[in-house]
């Protein structure tokens, strides 16, 4: 991985050679061996070659460095860097450049990388991302121990400025019990619609024996809402799911299964849940 100007200056490669299939351009003026994977780690390393020394990785890129790679695994997601307000840098295609004066206490070193601390990373995502995505990210960061709930709530409540109101709301809605990002988004959608469920709700039989744990539940109405990801179609999982569903049904629970397609039509999804709760309440 290298800057084009360096290898051309040292006569290691020519501009024509850089156009060959042996190299892949990561950013303007930055190239990598074409055999290297097109991964975020490679793009982070390339970004450091052109970023000023005062830059730190931030947002979802920082979350990746802190041990939450799921938050930055979307194809086409830019590498996020933050530079001091007075530094001239960018725009660079493939980079999301933010200009903020970070206090020293908000900067950490993870291995060889300078990035925002876990707390600052969580608060930035809470401010910048759409609310359901922000809450899903906070859930994961809490579950991974990147940031602690007690450490997250106080700064969110005291900060002001752009995005601070959403950050406070995202922190209020966050819950470390969530087991997947789609489950988190589903919980937020229902909560914002006035139908707050209990996450990771434990269902017990008449004798108090454990029957199941459902993604989202309304225990007083015996209604469960489950997110079914691709893994539910895996070998043996279908059989286990059916056995579990039979136990819930026998215990008088109604179960609504939600897929990724359902999350794209939130109005219809909310109406389906509302109707199920209404039937559980009135029998109609």
């Amino acid at each position: 991985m290298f800057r084009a100007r360096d290898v051309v200056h040292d006569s290691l490669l020519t501009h024509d050679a850089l156009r060959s299939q042996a190299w892949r351009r990561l950013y303007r003026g930055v190239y990598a061996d074409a055999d290297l994977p097109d991964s975020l780690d490679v793009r982070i390393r390339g970004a450091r070659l052109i970023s000023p020394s005062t830059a730190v990785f931030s947002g979802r890129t920082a979350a990746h460095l802190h041990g939450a790679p799921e938050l930055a695994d979307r194809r086409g997601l830019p590498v996020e860097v933050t530079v001091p307000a007075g530094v001239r840098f960018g725009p660079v295609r493939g980079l999301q450049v933010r200009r903020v004066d970070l206090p020293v206490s908000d900067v950490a070193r993870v291995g060889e990388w300078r990035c925002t601390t876990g707390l600052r990373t969580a608060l930035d995502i809470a401010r910048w991302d759409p609310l359901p995505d922000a809450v899903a990210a906070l859930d994961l960061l809490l579950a991974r121990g990147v940031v602690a709930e007690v450490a997250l709530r106080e700064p969110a409540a005291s900060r002001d400025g752009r995005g601070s109101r959403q950050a406070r709301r995202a922190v209020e809605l966050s819950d470390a019990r969530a087991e997947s990002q789609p489950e988190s988004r589903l919980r937020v959608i229902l909560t914002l619609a006035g139908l707050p469920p209990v996450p990771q709700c434990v269902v017990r039989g008449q004798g108090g024996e454990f029957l199941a744990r459902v993604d989202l539940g309304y225990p007083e109405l015996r209604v469960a809402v489950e997110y079914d990801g691709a893994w539910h179609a895996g070998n043996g999982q279908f059989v286990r799911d059916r056995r579990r569903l039979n136990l819930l049904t026998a215990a008088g629970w109604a179960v609504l299964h939600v897929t990724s397609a359902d999350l794209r039509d939130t109005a219809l999804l909310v109406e389906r849940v509302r109707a199920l709760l209404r039937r559980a309440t009135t029998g109609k």
Side-chain angles (χ1 to χ4, degrees):
M1 196 175 303
F2 52 86
R3 296 186 301 179
R5 69 185 186 189
D6 295 334
V7 296
V8 171
H9 177 269
D10 293 339
S11 300
L12 298 174
L13 289 172
T14 65
H15 287 293
D16 287 339
L18 288 173
R19 299 189 186 98
S20 77
Q21 295 183 351
W23 313 109
R24 183 174 73 253
R25 193 173 87 157
L26 299 178
Y27 307 103
R28 184 179 67 242
V30 178
Y31 290 78
D33 190 315
D35 289 335
L36 288 174
D38 184 13
S39 67
L40 180 58
D41 288 315
V42 168
R43 289 186 283 119
I44 289 173
R45 192 167 294 279
R48 186 167 64 175
L49 292 178
I50 54 172
S51 298
S53 60
T54 51
V56 300
F57 293 106
S58 54
R60 288 178 175 261
T61 303
H64 170 88
L65 295 173
H66 278 292
E70 300 93 329
L71 297 185
D73 63 358
R74 294 201 303 266
R75 182 173 292 275
L77 197 69
V79 170
E80 298 180 59
V81 296
T82 294
V83 299
V87 172
R88 297 182 62 183
F89 175 61
V92 179
R93 184 175 182 179
L95 296 184
Q96 173 69 60
V97 181
R98 302 186 187 276
R99 291 175 174 80
V100 178
D101 290 323
L102 292 173
V104 174
S105 58
D106 282 354
V107 179
R109 184 169 289 278
V110 178
E112 62 181 296
W113 309 108
R114 293 180 72 242
C115 62
T116 49
T117 61
L119 175 58
R120 179 62 192 240
T121 298
L123 291 173
D124 282 346
I125 292 174
R127 288 191 302 134
W128 297 335
D129 286 19
L131 185 58
D133 292 341
V135 175
L138 294 185
D139 287 355
L140 182 58
L141 293 172
L142 287 168
R144 292 283 169 82
V146 174
V147 63
E149 182 177 353
V150 65
L152 184 61
R153 294 192 182 279
E154 184 177 348
S158 62
R159 294 200 179 197
D160 53 17
R162 183 179 179 183
S164 58
R165 181 179 298 179
Q166 177 181 282
R168 287 191 289 271
R169 185 62 171 137
V171 171
E172 290 171 1
L173 291 170
S174 63
D175 195 307
R177 289 174 290 179
E179 294 190 342
S180 72
Q181 292 185 75
E183 178 194 319
S184 297
R185 294 187 184 97
L186 175 57
R187 188 187 76 246
V188 173
I189 290 168
L190 296 177
T191 300
L192 294 179
L195 306 172
V198 176
Q200 296 303 309
C201 180
V202 174
V203 179
R204 298 189 181 277
Q206 292 183 348
E209 71 279 12
F210 175 85
L211 295 180
R213 187 178 65 194
V214 298
D215 292 341
L216 304 170
Y218 301 89
E220 59 290 336
L221 297 175
R222 295 189 180 185
V223 170
V225 181
E226 294 266 78
Y227 179 79
D228 287 349
W231 69 274
H232 282 272
N235 184 31
Q237 187 60 44
F238 179 82
V239 173
R240 289 190 291 273
D241 283 347
R242 286 296 157 266
R243 288 174 180 166
R244 183 167 168 275
L245 178 59
N246 289 340
L247 287 173
L248 289 168
T249 302
W253 280 66
V255 182
L256 177 66
H257 293 276
V258 175
T259 67
S260 59
D262 295 318
L263 294 180
R264 292 193 287 270
D265 190 342
T266 58
L268 178 59
L269 171 60
V270 168
E271 183 51 41
R272 289 173 64 196
V273 174
R274 201 184 301 278
L276 188 58
L277 296 175
R278 187 166 53 245
R279 286 196 298 272
T281 302
T282 66
K284 298 180 182 179

